Amino acid sequence: GGRRGMRLALAYARAETLNLARYPAYSVPTVALPATLLLLFGRQFEHGEPDRLLAGFAATALLTVAFFQFGVGVAAGRTLPWETYLRTLPVSPTTRLTGRVLSALAFAAATVTTVAVVAFTVYDAAMAAWRLAALGVALLVGSIPFALLGIAFGYWLPPRAALPMANLLYLP
């Protein structure tokens, strides 16, 4: 039932998150890139509005997770024998997708947190708690179409094409 499915989704999310965290070529750039970009280019975009700077770079952080964890990750995973094995298990695709989404949320939270730490410490951002909560909700809702686009890339594109396409959309 529903409780079993959620328990399995949480187990899958934990396994997926640990797997990605143990792969520093993915986890370090994903968590650090938006904050690094903020450090490198933040002064050029600040214009005396550090809160807007925080919001913009936090959105960039979520795009990183949406395009790369979903798009590139799904495309690369499709070719692995492990993925084929997972499809044989008596677990619905919805449960696995829920687990993947929860794992992405964990990385998104870590990535946005690093951006926020830089914005608060280096650029003196000073958002009220309610505005920070509203930003979190807006980022979460706004990331849904990009996560769906990342998933679509992951299933439509071959692994070698997913990374360049994600970069083409992400970088501009």
Side-chain angles (χ1 to χ4, degrees):
R3 185 175 294 196
R4 179 179 175 270
M6 183 49 79
R7 204 174 62 238
L8 288 172
L10 289 171
Y12 186 81
R14 182 178 182 272
E16 181 79 9
T17 303
L18 286 173
N19 181 44
L20 291 171
R22 290 178 182 151
Y23 186 57
Y26 169 79
S27 59
V28 172
T30 297
V31 173
L33 180 64
T36 303
L37 291 174
L38 176 57
L39 281 170
L40 292 174
F41 304 111
R43 289 282 178 225
Q44 295 172 344
F45 299 111
E46 183 181 20
H47 307 298
E49 300 182 44
D51 291 356
R52 291 182 102 184
L53 189 70
L54 166 60
F57 277 87
T60 302
L62 284 176
L63 289 176
T64 302
V65 173
F67 284 145
F68 295 100
Q69 185 168 348
F70 282 122
V72 179
V74 168
R78 281 190 359 239
T79 63
L80 298 175
W82 179 250
E83 186 68 25
T84 304
Y85 170 73
L86 287 177
R87 284 192 295 248
T88 67
L89 297 176
V91 176
S92 73
T94 304
T95 300
R96 288 185 39 234
L97 180 62
T98 302
R100 205 178 282 260
V101 168
L102 292 172
S103 174
L105 286 174
F107 273 96
T111 305
V112 169
T113 299
T114 60
V115 167
V117 166
V118 170
F120 287 123
T121 58
V122 175
Y123 297 100
D124 297 323
M127 270 191 191
W130 71 268
R131 287 189 66 208
L132 205 52
L135 174 63
V137 169
L139 289 172
L140 183 63
V141 171
S143 69
I144 291 170
F146 294 104
L148 293 173
L149 183 60
I151 291 169
F153 274 2
Y155 284 108
W156 287 341
L157 297 171
R160 289 185 181 184
L163 181 60
M165 289 301 293
N167 277 320
L168 263 174
L169 287 176
Y170 173 76
L171 291 175

PDB file of all heavy atoms in Angstrom, residues 77-118:
ATOM      1  N   GLY A  77      22.264   6.342 -16.044  1.00  0.00           N
ATOM      2  CA  GLY A  77      21.764   5.186 -15.317  1.00  0.00           C
ATOM      3  C   GLY A  77      21.048   4.183 -16.197  1.00  0.00           C
ATOM      4  O   GLY A  77      21.070   2.976 -15.919  1.00  0.00           O
ATOM      5  N   ARG A  78      20.416   4.654 -17.258  1.00  0.00           N
ATOM      6  CA  ARG A  78      19.686   3.743 -18.155  1.00  0.00           C
ATOM      7  C   ARG A  78      20.583   2.678 -18.756  1.00  0.00           C
ATOM      8  O   ARG A  78      20.120   1.601 -19.102  1.00  0.00           O
ATOM      9  CB  ARG A  78      19.056   4.539 -19.309  1.00  0.00           C
ATOM     10  CG  ARG A  78      17.810   5.231 -18.962  1.00  0.00           C
ATOM     11  CD  ARG A  78      17.097   5.815 -20.186  1.00  0.00           C
ATOM     12  NE  ARG A  78      17.754   5.625 -21.446  1.00  0.00           N
ATOM     13  CZ  ARG A  78      18.146   6.603 -22.259  1.00  0.00           C
ATOM     14  NH1 ARG A  78      17.935   7.853 -21.934  1.00  0.00           N
ATOM     15  NH2 ARG A  78      18.720   6.342 -23.412  1.00  0.00           N
ATOM     16  N   THR A  79      21.853   2.973 -18.910  1.00  0.00           N
ATOM     17  CA  THR A  79      22.773   2.041 -19.562  1.00  0.00           C
ATOM     18  C   THR A  79      23.412   1.048 -18.592  1.00  0.00           C
ATOM     19  O   THR A  79      24.090   0.126 -19.025  1.00  0.00           O
ATOM     20  CB  THR A  79      23.900   2.809 -20.279  1.00  0.00           C
ATOM     21  OG1 THR A  79      24.668   3.522 -19.302  1.00  0.00           O
ATOM     22  CG2 THR A  79      23.334   3.781 -21.297  1.00  0.00           C
ATOM     23  N   LEU A  80      23.205   1.234 -17.304  1.00  0.00           N
ATOM     24  CA  LEU A  80      23.853   0.389 -16.306  1.00  0.00           C
ATOM     25  C   LEU A  80      23.061  -0.895 -16.057  1.00  0.00           C
ATOM     26  O   LEU A  80      21.831  -0.873 -16.028  1.00  0.00           O
ATOM     27  CB  LEU A  80      23.999   1.141 -14.985  1.00  0.00           C
ATOM     28  CG  LEU A  80      24.853   2.396 -15.022  1.00  0.00           C
ATOM     29  CD1 LEU A  80      24.796   3.105 -13.678  1.00  0.00           C
ATOM     30  CD2 LEU A  80      26.282   2.059 -15.398  1.00  0.00           C
ATOM     31  N   PRO A  81      23.758  -1.992 -15.832  1.00  0.00           N
ATOM     32  CA  PRO A  81      23.056  -3.236 -15.488  1.00  0.00           C
ATOM     33  C   PRO A  81      22.226  -3.099 -14.205  1.00  0.00           C
ATOM     34  O   PRO A  81      21.193  -3.741 -14.065  1.00  0.00           O
ATOM     35  CB  PRO A  81      24.193  -4.252 -15.288  1.00  0.00           C
ATOM     36  CG  PRO A  81      25.373  -3.676 -15.976  1.00  0.00           C
ATOM     37  CD  PRO A  81      25.198  -2.184 -15.966  1.00  0.00           C
ATOM     38  N   TRP A  82      22.668  -2.253 -13.289  1.00  0.00           N
ATOM     39  CA  TRP A  82      21.935  -2.049 -12.042  1.00  0.00           C
ATOM     40  C   TRP A  82      20.528  -1.517 -12.315  1.00  0.00           C
ATOM     41  O   TRP A  82      19.557  -1.939 -11.684  1.00  0.00           O
ATOM     42  CB  TRP A  82      22.708  -1.096 -11.138  1.00  0.00           C
ATOM     43  CG  TRP A  82      22.017  -0.806  -9.840  1.00  0.00           C
ATOM     44  CD1 TRP A  82      21.450   0.372  -9.467  1.00  0.00           C
ATOM     45  CD2 TRP A  82      21.797  -1.709  -8.764  1.00  0.00           C
ATOM     46  NE1 TRP A  82      20.903   0.264  -8.215  1.00  0.00           N
ATOM     47  CE2 TRP A  82      21.096  -1.020  -7.754  1.00  0.00           C
ATOM     48  CE3 TRP A  82      22.119  -3.050  -8.539  1.00  0.00           C
ATOM     49  CZ2 TRP A  82      20.723  -1.598  -6.566  1.00  0.00           C
ATOM     50  CZ3 TRP A  82      21.734  -3.618  -7.338  1.00  0.00           C
ATOM     51  CH2 TRP A  82      21.043  -2.900  -6.377  1.00  0.00           C
ATOM     52  N   GLU A  83      20.414  -0.614 -13.251  1.00  0.00           N
ATOM     53  CA  GLU A  83      19.101  -0.054 -13.602  1.00  0.00           C
ATOM     54  C   GLU A  83      18.196  -1.147 -14.169  1.00  0.00           C
ATOM     55  O   GLU A  83      17.005  -1.197 -13.865  1.00  0.00           O
ATOM     56  CB  GLU A  83      19.259   1.094 -14.599  1.00  0.00           C
ATOM     57  CG  GLU A  83      18.005   1.831 -14.909  1.00  0.00           C
ATOM     58  CD  GLU A  83      17.462   2.644 -13.748  1.00  0.00           C
ATOM     59  OE1 GLU A  83      18.226   3.036 -12.860  1.00  0.00           O
ATOM     60  OE2 GLU A  83      16.236   2.908 -13.742  1.00  0.00           O
ATOM     61  N   THR A  84      18.751  -2.000 -14.990  1.00  0.00           N
ATOM     62  CA  THR A  84      17.978  -3.117 -15.534  1.00  0.00           C
ATOM     63  C   THR A  84      17.503  -4.019 -14.402  1.00  0.00           C
ATOM     64  O   THR A  84      16.348  -4.452 -14.383  1.00  0.00           O
ATOM     65  CB  THR A  84      18.831  -3.918 -16.536  1.00  0.00           C
ATOM     66  OG1 THR A  84      19.301  -3.024 -17.544  1.00  0.00           O
ATOM     67  CG2 THR A  84      18.036  -5.040 -17.178  1.00  0.00           C
ATOM     68  N   TYR A  85      18.371  -4.287 -13.446  1.00  0.00           N
ATOM     69  CA  TYR A  85      17.996  -5.099 -12.295  1.00  0.00           C
ATOM     70  C   TYR A  85      16.880  -4.427 -11.495  1.00  0.00           C
ATOM     71  O   TYR A  85      15.918  -5.090 -11.083  1.00  0.00           O
ATOM     72  CB  TYR A  85      19.217  -5.356 -11.406  1.00  0.00           C
ATOM     73  CG  TYR A  85      18.867  -5.980 -10.086  1.00  0.00           C
ATOM     74  CD1 TYR A  85      18.469  -7.310 -10.003  1.00  0.00           C
ATOM     75  CD2 TYR A  85      18.912  -5.234  -8.914  1.00  0.00           C
ATOM     76  CE1 TYR A  85      18.126  -7.883  -8.790  1.00  0.00           C
ATOM     77  CE2 TYR A  85      18.576  -5.803  -7.699  1.00  0.00           C
ATOM     78  CZ  TYR A  85      18.185  -7.118  -7.647  1.00  0.00           C
ATOM     79  OH  TYR A  85      17.838  -7.670  -6.445  1.00  0.00           O
ATOM     80  N   LEU A  86      16.995  -3.123 -11.276  1.00  0.00           N
ATOM     81  CA  LEU A  86      15.969  -2.414 -10.502  1.00  0.00           C
ATOM     82  C   LEU A  86      14.600  -2.516 -11.158  1.00  0.00           C
ATOM     83  O   LEU A  86      13.577  -2.585 -10.469  1.00  0.00           O
ATOM     84  CB  LEU A  86      16.357  -0.952 -10.317  1.00  0.00           C
ATOM     85  CG  LEU A  86      17.489  -0.661  -9.344  1.00  0.00           C
ATOM     86  CD1 LEU A  86      17.808   0.828  -9.329  1.00  0.00           C
ATOM     87  CD2 LEU A  86      17.160  -1.149  -7.948  1.00  0.00           C
ATOM     88  N   ARG A  87      14.576  -2.528 -12.468  1.00  0.00           N
ATOM     89  CA  ARG A  87      13.283  -2.627 -13.176  1.00  0.00           C
ATOM     90  C   ARG A  87      12.634  -3.999 -12.976  1.00  0.00           C
ATOM     91  O   ARG A  87      11.437  -4.146 -13.204  1.00  0.00           O
ATOM     92  CB  ARG A  87      13.452  -2.316 -14.653  1.00  0.00           C
ATOM     93  CG  ARG A  87      13.615  -0.841 -14.913  1.00  0.00           C
ATOM     94  CD  ARG A  87      13.495  -0.540 -16.382  1.00  0.00           C
ATOM     95  NE  ARG A  87      14.591  -1.151 -17.122  1.00  0.00           N
ATOM     96  CZ  ARG A  87      15.556  -0.493 -17.735  1.00  0.00           C
ATOM     97  NH1 ARG A  87      15.548   0.810 -17.728  1.00  0.00           N
ATOM     98  NH2 ARG A  87      16.506  -1.125 -18.369  1.00  0.00           N
ATOM     99  N   THR A  88      13.410  -5.006 -12.597  1.00  0.00           N
ATOM    100  CA  THR A  88      12.835  -6.335 -12.386  1.00  0.00           C
ATOM    101  C   THR A  88      12.236  -6.496 -10.990  1.00  0.00           C
ATOM    102  O   THR A  88      11.520  -7.453 -10.741  1.00  0.00           O
ATOM    103  CB  THR A  88      13.899  -7.447 -12.591  1.00  0.00           C
ATOM    104  OG1 THR A  88      14.886  -7.338 -11.557  1.00  0.00           O
ATOM    105  CG2 THR A  88      14.530  -7.347 -13.964  1.00  0.00           C
ATOM    106  N   LEU A  89      12.540  -5.581 -10.093  1.00  0.00           N
ATOM    107  CA  LEU A  89      12.041  -5.679  -8.726  1.00  0.00           C
ATOM    108  C   LEU A  89      10.566  -5.305  -8.660  1.00  0.00           C
ATOM    109  O   LEU A  89      10.086  -4.495  -9.466  1.00  0.00           O
ATOM    110  CB  LEU A  89      12.856  -4.763  -7.809  1.00  0.00           C
ATOM    111  CG  LEU A  89      14.336  -5.107  -7.678  1.00  0.00           C
ATOM    112  CD1 LEU A  89      15.037  -4.054  -6.827  1.00  0.00           C
ATOM    113  CD2 LEU A  89      14.527  -6.488  -7.101  1.00  0.00           C
ATOM    114  N   PRO A  90       9.843  -5.853  -7.701  1.00  0.00           N
ATOM    115  CA  PRO A  90       8.411  -5.542  -7.596  1.00  0.00           C
ATOM    116  C   PRO A  90       8.158  -4.184  -6.931  1.00  0.00           C
ATOM    117  O   PRO A  90       7.490  -4.075  -5.904  1.00  0.00           O
ATOM    118  CB  PRO A  90       7.875  -6.699  -6.735  1.00  0.00           C
ATOM    119  CG  PRO A  90       9.035  -7.097  -5.890  1.00  0.00           C
ATOM    120  CD  PRO A  90      10.257  -6.876  -6.749  1.00  0.00           C
ATOM    121  N   VAL A  91       8.718  -3.154  -7.516  1.00  0.00           N
ATOM    122  CA  VAL A  91       8.542  -1.784  -7.026  1.00  0.00           C
ATOM    123  C   VAL A  91       8.046  -0.955  -8.204  1.00  0.00           C
ATOM    124  O   VAL A  91       8.584  -1.054  -9.307  1.00  0.00           O
ATOM    125  CB  VAL A  91       9.876  -1.220  -6.491  1.00  0.00           C
ATOM    126  CG1 VAL A  91       9.722   0.226  -6.080  1.00  0.00           C
ATOM    127  CG2 VAL A  91      10.370  -2.047  -5.327  1.00  0.00           C
ATOM    128  N   SER A  92       7.055  -0.140  -7.957  1.00  0.00           N
ATOM    129  CA  SER A  92       6.483   0.646  -9.050  1.00  0.00           C
ATOM    130  C   SER A  92       7.460   1.731  -9.500  1.00  0.00           C
ATOM    131  O   SER A  92       8.275   2.222  -8.702  1.00  0.00           O
ATOM    132  CB  SER A  92       5.173   1.292  -8.601  1.00  0.00           C
ATOM    133  OG  SER A  92       5.437   2.349  -7.703  1.00  0.00           O
ATOM    134  N   PRO A  93       7.363   2.121 -10.762  1.00  0.00           N
ATOM    135  CA  PRO A  93       8.203   3.229 -11.238  1.00  0.00           C
ATOM    136  C   PRO A  93       7.945   4.521 -10.448  1.00  0.00           C
ATOM    137  O   PRO A  93       8.853   5.321 -10.257  1.00  0.00           O
ATOM    138  CB  PRO A  93       7.798   3.396 -12.711  1.00  0.00           C
ATOM    139  CG  PRO A  93       7.209   2.077 -13.100  1.00  0.00           C
ATOM    140  CD  PRO A  93       6.607   1.518 -11.846  1.00  0.00           C
ATOM    141  N   THR A  94       6.729   4.698  -9.966  1.00  0.00           N
ATOM    142  CA  THR A  94       6.394   5.886  -9.178  1.00  0.00           C
ATOM    143  C   THR A  94       7.200   5.913  -7.881  1.00  0.00           C
ATOM    144  O   THR A  94       7.683   6.967  -7.469  1.00  0.00           O
ATOM    145  CB  THR A  94       4.887   5.909  -8.855  1.00  0.00           C
ATOM    146  OG1 THR A  94       4.164   5.832 -10.078  1.00  0.00           O
ATOM    147  CG2 THR A  94       4.500   7.149  -8.095  1.00  0.00           C
ATOM    148  N   THR A  95       7.359   4.755  -7.254  1.00  0.00           N
ATOM    149  CA  THR A  95       8.137   4.681  -6.020  1.00  0.00           C
ATOM    150  C   THR A  95       9.584   5.061  -6.284  1.00  0.00           C
ATOM    151  O   THR A  95      10.190   5.831  -5.535  1.00  0.00           O
ATOM    152  CB  THR A  95       8.046   3.265  -5.418  1.00  0.00           C
ATOM    153  OG1 THR A  95       6.683   2.989  -5.132  1.00  0.00           O
ATOM    154  CG2 THR A  95       8.865   3.139  -4.154  1.00  0.00           C
ATOM    155  N   ARG A  96      10.153   4.534  -7.362  1.00  0.00           N
ATOM    156  CA  ARG A  96      11.540   4.860  -7.695  1.00  0.00           C
ATOM    157  C   ARG A  96      11.684   6.332  -8.064  1.00  0.00           C
ATOM    158  O   ARG A  96      12.651   6.991  -7.679  1.00  0.00           O
ATOM    159  CB  ARG A  96      12.030   3.963  -8.826  1.00  0.00           C
ATOM    160  CG  ARG A  96      12.248   2.546  -8.311  1.00  0.00           C
ATOM    161  CD  ARG A  96      12.849   1.568  -9.290  1.00  0.00           C
ATOM    162  NE  ARG A  96      13.865   2.113 -10.132  1.00  0.00           N
ATOM    163  CZ  ARG A  96      13.836   2.047 -11.474  1.00  0.00           C
ATOM    164  NH1 ARG A  96      12.835   1.471 -12.094  1.00  0.00           N
ATOM    165  NH2 ARG A  96      14.814   2.541 -12.179  1.00  0.00           N
ATOM    166  N   LEU A  97      10.721   6.879  -8.812  1.00  0.00           N
ATOM    167  CA  LEU A  97      10.766   8.295  -9.180  1.00  0.00           C
ATOM    168  C   LEU A  97      10.648   9.167  -7.936  1.00  0.00           C
ATOM    169  O   LEU A  97      11.371  10.157  -7.797  1.00  0.00           O
ATOM    170  CB  LEU A  97       9.662   8.639 -10.184  1.00  0.00           C
ATOM    171  CG  LEU A  97       9.630  10.092 -10.637  1.00  0.00           C
ATOM    172  CD1 LEU A  97      10.926  10.464 -11.358  1.00  0.00           C
ATOM    173  CD2 LEU A  97       8.439  10.334 -11.534  1.00  0.00           C
ATOM    174  N   THR A  98       9.779   8.788  -7.012  1.00  0.00           N
ATOM    175  CA  THR A  98       9.651   9.527  -5.758  1.00  0.00           C
ATOM    176  C   THR A  98      10.966   9.514  -4.992  1.00  0.00           C
ATOM    177  O   THR A  98      11.406  10.542  -4.464  1.00  0.00           O
ATOM    178  CB  THR A  98       8.519   8.942  -4.894  1.00  0.00           C
ATOM    179  OG1 THR A  98       7.301   8.991  -5.627  1.00  0.00           O
ATOM    180  CG2 THR A  98       8.366   9.698  -3.590  1.00  0.00           C
ATOM    181  N   GLY A  99      11.612   8.371  -4.943  1.00  0.00           N
ATOM    182  CA  GLY A  99      12.914   8.280  -4.288  1.00  0.00           C
ATOM    183  C   GLY A  99      13.952   9.159  -4.954  1.00  0.00           C
ATOM    184  O   GLY A  99      14.748   9.831  -4.293  1.00  0.00           O
ATOM    185  N   ARG A 100      13.938   9.181  -6.283  1.00  0.00           N
ATOM    186  CA  ARG A 100      14.881  10.024  -7.029  1.00  0.00           C
ATOM    187  C   ARG A 100      14.619  11.500  -6.747  1.00  0.00           C
ATOM    188  O   ARG A 100      15.550  12.288  -6.594  1.00  0.00           O
ATOM    189  CB  ARG A 100      14.749   9.728  -8.517  1.00  0.00           C
ATOM    190  CG  ARG A 100      15.973  10.045  -9.307  1.00  0.00           C
ATOM    191  CD  ARG A 100      15.781   9.690 -10.765  1.00  0.00           C
ATOM    192  NE  ARG A 100      15.893   8.290 -11.045  1.00  0.00           N
ATOM    193  CZ  ARG A 100      16.981   7.716 -11.541  1.00  0.00           C
ATOM    194  NH1 ARG A 100      18.031   8.447 -11.809  1.00  0.00           N
ATOM    195  NH2 ARG A 100      17.003   6.436 -11.788  1.00  0.00           N
ATOM    196  N   VAL A 101      13.344  11.875  -6.688  1.00  0.00           N
ATOM    197  CA  VAL A 101      12.981  13.268  -6.396  1.00  0.00           C
ATOM    198  C   VAL A 101      13.430  13.649  -4.986  1.00  0.00           C
ATOM    199  O   VAL A 101      13.984  14.729  -4.775  1.00  0.00           O
ATOM    200  CB  VAL A 101      11.458  13.492  -6.573  1.00  0.00           C
ATOM    201  CG1 VAL A 101      11.017  14.814  -5.996  1.00  0.00           C
ATOM    202  CG2 VAL A 101      11.083  13.403  -8.046  1.00  0.00           C
ATOM    203  N   LEU A 102      13.222  12.771  -4.024  1.00  0.00           N
ATOM    204  CA  LEU A 102      13.649  13.052  -2.652  1.00  0.00           C
ATOM    205  C   LEU A 102      15.168  13.184  -2.563  1.00  0.00           C
ATOM    206  O   LEU A 102      15.687  14.053  -1.849  1.00  0.00           O
ATOM    207  CB  LEU A 102      13.147  11.965  -1.697  1.00  0.00           C
ATOM    208  CG  LEU A 102      11.628  11.918  -1.493  1.00  0.00           C
ATOM    209  CD1 LEU A 102      11.236  10.688  -0.689  1.00  0.00           C
ATOM    210  CD2 LEU A 102      11.130  13.193  -0.847  1.00  0.00           C
ATOM    211  N   SER A 103      15.875  12.367  -3.299  1.00  0.00           N
ATOM    212  CA  SER A 103      17.335  12.481  -3.342  1.00  0.00           C
ATOM    213  C   SER A 103      17.741  13.817  -3.952  1.00  0.00           C
ATOM    214  O   SER A 103      18.649  14.494  -3.455  1.00  0.00           O
ATOM    215  CB  SER A 103      17.922  11.323  -4.149  1.00  0.00           C
ATOM    216  OG  SER A 103      19.303  11.495  -4.319  1.00  0.00           O
ATOM    217  N   ALA A 104      17.073  14.199  -5.023  1.00  0.00           N
ATOM    218  CA  ALA A 104      17.368  15.490  -5.650  1.00  0.00           C
ATOM    219  C   ALA A 104      17.085  16.639  -4.694  1.00  0.00           C
ATOM    220  O   ALA A 104      17.830  17.622  -4.653  1.00  0.00           O
ATOM    221  CB  ALA A 104      16.553  15.649  -6.934  1.00  0.00           C
ATOM    222  N   LEU A 105      16.021  16.518  -3.909  1.00  0.00           N
ATOM    223  CA  LEU A 105      15.709  17.564  -2.937  1.00  0.00           C
ATOM    224  C   LEU A 105      16.818  17.686  -1.892  1.00  0.00           C
ATOM    225  O   LEU A 105      17.138  18.791  -1.453  1.00  0.00           O
ATOM    226  CB  LEU A 105      14.368  17.285  -2.254  1.00  0.00           C
ATOM    227  CG  LEU A 105      13.134  17.542  -3.106  1.00  0.00           C
ATOM    228  CD1 LEU A 105      11.876  17.094  -2.360  1.00  0.00           C
ATOM    229  CD2 LEU A 105      13.030  18.994  -3.508  1.00  0.00           C
ATOM    230  N   ALA A 106      17.406  16.569  -1.511  1.00  0.00           N
ATOM    231  CA  ALA A 106      18.510  16.611  -0.545  1.00  0.00           C
ATOM    232  C   ALA A 106      19.698  17.370  -1.136  1.00  0.00           C
ATOM    233  O   ALA A 106      20.293  18.232  -0.479  1.00  0.00           O
ATOM    234  CB  ALA A 106      18.925  15.194  -0.146  1.00  0.00           C
ATOM    235  N   PHE A 107      20.032  17.076  -2.400  1.00  0.00           N
ATOM    236  CA  PHE A 107      21.137  17.793  -3.038  1.00  0.00           C
ATOM    237  C   PHE A 107      20.773  19.253  -3.291  1.00  0.00           C
ATOM    238  O   PHE A 107      21.610  20.137  -3.153  1.00  0.00           O
ATOM    239  CB  PHE A 107      21.563  17.105  -4.340  1.00  0.00           C
ATOM    240  CG  PHE A 107      22.573  16.036  -4.115  1.00  0.00           C
ATOM    241  CD1 PHE A 107      22.181  14.724  -4.004  1.00  0.00           C
ATOM    242  CD2 PHE A 107      23.914  16.347  -3.983  1.00  0.00           C
ATOM    243  CE1 PHE A 107      23.106  13.730  -3.768  1.00  0.00           C
ATOM    244  CE2 PHE A 107      24.855  15.363  -3.743  1.00  0.00           C
ATOM    245  CZ  PHE A 107      24.457  14.044  -3.633  1.00  0.00           C
ATOM    246  N   ALA A 108      19.528  19.505  -3.652  1.00  0.00           N
ATOM    247  CA  ALA A 108      19.096  20.886  -3.870  1.00  0.00           C
ATOM    248  C   ALA A 108      19.202  21.688  -2.578  1.00  0.00           C
ATOM    249  O   ALA A 108      19.671  22.831  -2.579  1.00  0.00           O
ATOM    250  CB  ALA A 108      17.666  20.916  -4.404  1.00  0.00           C
ATOM    251  N   ALA A 109      18.798  21.091  -1.468  1.00  0.00           N
ATOM    252  CA  ALA A 109      18.888  21.781  -0.176  1.00  0.00           C
ATOM    253  C   ALA A 109      20.338  22.095   0.169  1.00  0.00           C
ATOM    254  O   ALA A 109      20.659  23.197   0.623  1.00  0.00           O
ATOM    255  CB  ALA A 109      18.243  20.933   0.917  1.00  0.00           C
ATOM    256  N   ALA A 110      21.229  21.132  -0.062  1.00  0.00           N
ATOM    257  CA  ALA A 110      22.654  21.368   0.223  1.00  0.00           C
ATOM    258  C   ALA A 110      23.220  22.455  -0.676  1.00  0.00           C
ATOM    259  O   ALA A 110      23.981  23.325  -0.231  1.00  0.00           O
ATOM    260  CB  ALA A 110      23.444  20.069   0.046  1.00  0.00           C
ATOM    261  N   THR A 111      22.828  22.434  -1.939  1.00  0.00           N
ATOM    262  CA  THR A 111      23.337  23.414  -2.898  1.00  0.00           C
ATOM    263  C   THR A 111      22.828  24.816  -2.581  1.00  0.00           C
ATOM    264  O   THR A 111      23.594  25.780  -2.572  1.00  0.00           O
ATOM    265  CB  THR A 111      22.932  22.992  -4.327  1.00  0.00           C
ATOM    266  OG1 THR A 111      23.395  21.665  -4.558  1.00  0.00           O
ATOM    267  CG2 THR A 111      23.513  23.906  -5.371  1.00  0.00           C
ATOM    268  N   VAL A 112      21.540  24.925  -2.301  1.00  0.00           N
ATOM    269  CA  VAL A 112      20.958  26.232  -1.969  1.00  0.00           C
ATOM    270  C   VAL A 112      21.531  26.735  -0.646  1.00  0.00           C
ATOM    271  O   VAL A 112      21.773  27.933  -0.482  1.00  0.00           O
ATOM    272  CB  VAL A 112      19.418  26.147  -1.940  1.00  0.00           C
ATOM    273  CG1 VAL A 112      18.801  27.401  -1.342  1.00  0.00           C
ATOM    274  CG2 VAL A 112      18.879  25.923  -3.353  1.00  0.00           C
ATOM    275  N   THR A 113      21.779  25.843   0.293  1.00  0.00           N
ATOM    276  CA  THR A 113      22.360  26.243   1.573  1.00  0.00           C
ATOM    277  C   THR A 113      23.747  26.849   1.374  1.00  0.00           C
ATOM    278  O   THR A 113      24.073  27.869   2.002  1.00  0.00           O
ATOM    279  CB  THR A 113      22.409  25.051   2.545  1.00  0.00           C
ATOM    280  OG1 THR A 113      21.078  24.597   2.769  1.00  0.00           O
ATOM    281  CG2 THR A 113      23.051  25.430   3.860  1.00  0.00           C
ATOM    282  N   THR A 114      24.568  26.253   0.515  1.00  0.00           N
ATOM    283  CA  THR A 114      25.905  26.824   0.277  1.00  0.00           C
ATOM    284  C   THR A 114      25.794  28.199  -0.360  1.00  0.00           C
ATOM    285  O   THR A 114      26.555  29.108  -0.014  1.00  0.00           O
ATOM    286  CB  THR A 114      26.790  25.907  -0.596  1.00  0.00           C
ATOM    287  OG1 THR A 114      26.166  25.702  -1.856  1.00  0.00           O
ATOM    288  CG2 THR A 114      27.065  24.593   0.085  1.00  0.00           C
ATOM    289  N   VAL A 115      24.840  28.370  -1.264  1.00  0.00           N
ATOM    290  CA  VAL A 115      24.620  29.689  -1.876  1.00  0.00           C
ATOM    291  C   VAL A 115      24.182  30.688  -0.807  1.00  0.00           C
ATOM    292  O   VAL A 115      24.670  31.826  -0.761  1.00  0.00           O
ATOM    293  CB  VAL A 115      23.573  29.603  -3.020  1.00  0.00           C
ATOM    294  CG1 VAL A 115      23.096  30.979  -3.447  1.00  0.00           C
ATOM    295  CG2 VAL A 115      24.152  28.850  -4.204  1.00  0.00           C
ATOM    296  N   ALA A 116      23.267  30.276   0.060  1.00  0.00           N
ATOM    297  CA  ALA A 116      22.777  31.171   1.106  1.00  0.00           C
ATOM    298  C   ALA A 116      23.894  31.568   2.070  1.00  0.00           C
ATOM    299  O   ALA A 116      23.992  32.740   2.467  1.00  0.00           O
ATOM    300  CB  ALA A 116      21.629  30.505   1.869  1.00  0.00           C
ATOM    301  N   VAL A 117      24.741  30.616   2.428  1.00  0.00           N
ATOM    302  CA  VAL A 117      25.852  30.926   3.334  1.00  0.00           C
ATOM    303  C   VAL A 117      26.756  31.988   2.697  1.00  0.00           C
ATOM    304  O   VAL A 117      27.146  32.962   3.358  1.00  0.00           O
ATOM    305  CB  VAL A 117      26.644  29.650   3.700  1.00  0.00           C
ATOM    306  CG1 VAL A 117      27.976  29.981   4.346  1.00  0.00           C
ATOM    307  CG2 VAL A 117      25.808  28.762   4.608  1.00  0.00           C
ATOM    308  N   VAL A 118      27.066  31.835   1.426  1.00  0.00           N
ATOM    309  CA  VAL A 118      27.904  32.830   0.738  1.00  0.00           C
ATOM    310  C   VAL A 118      27.184  34.171   0.672  1.00  0.00           C
ATOM    311  O   VAL A 118      27.769  35.220   0.959  1.00  0.00           O
ATOM    312  CB  VAL A 118      28.302  32.341  -0.670  1.00  0.00           C
ATOM    313  CG1 VAL A 118      28.953  33.458  -1.480  1.00  0.00           C
ATOM    314  CG2 VAL A 118      29.241  31.149  -0.572  1.00  0.00           C
TER     315      VAL A 118
END
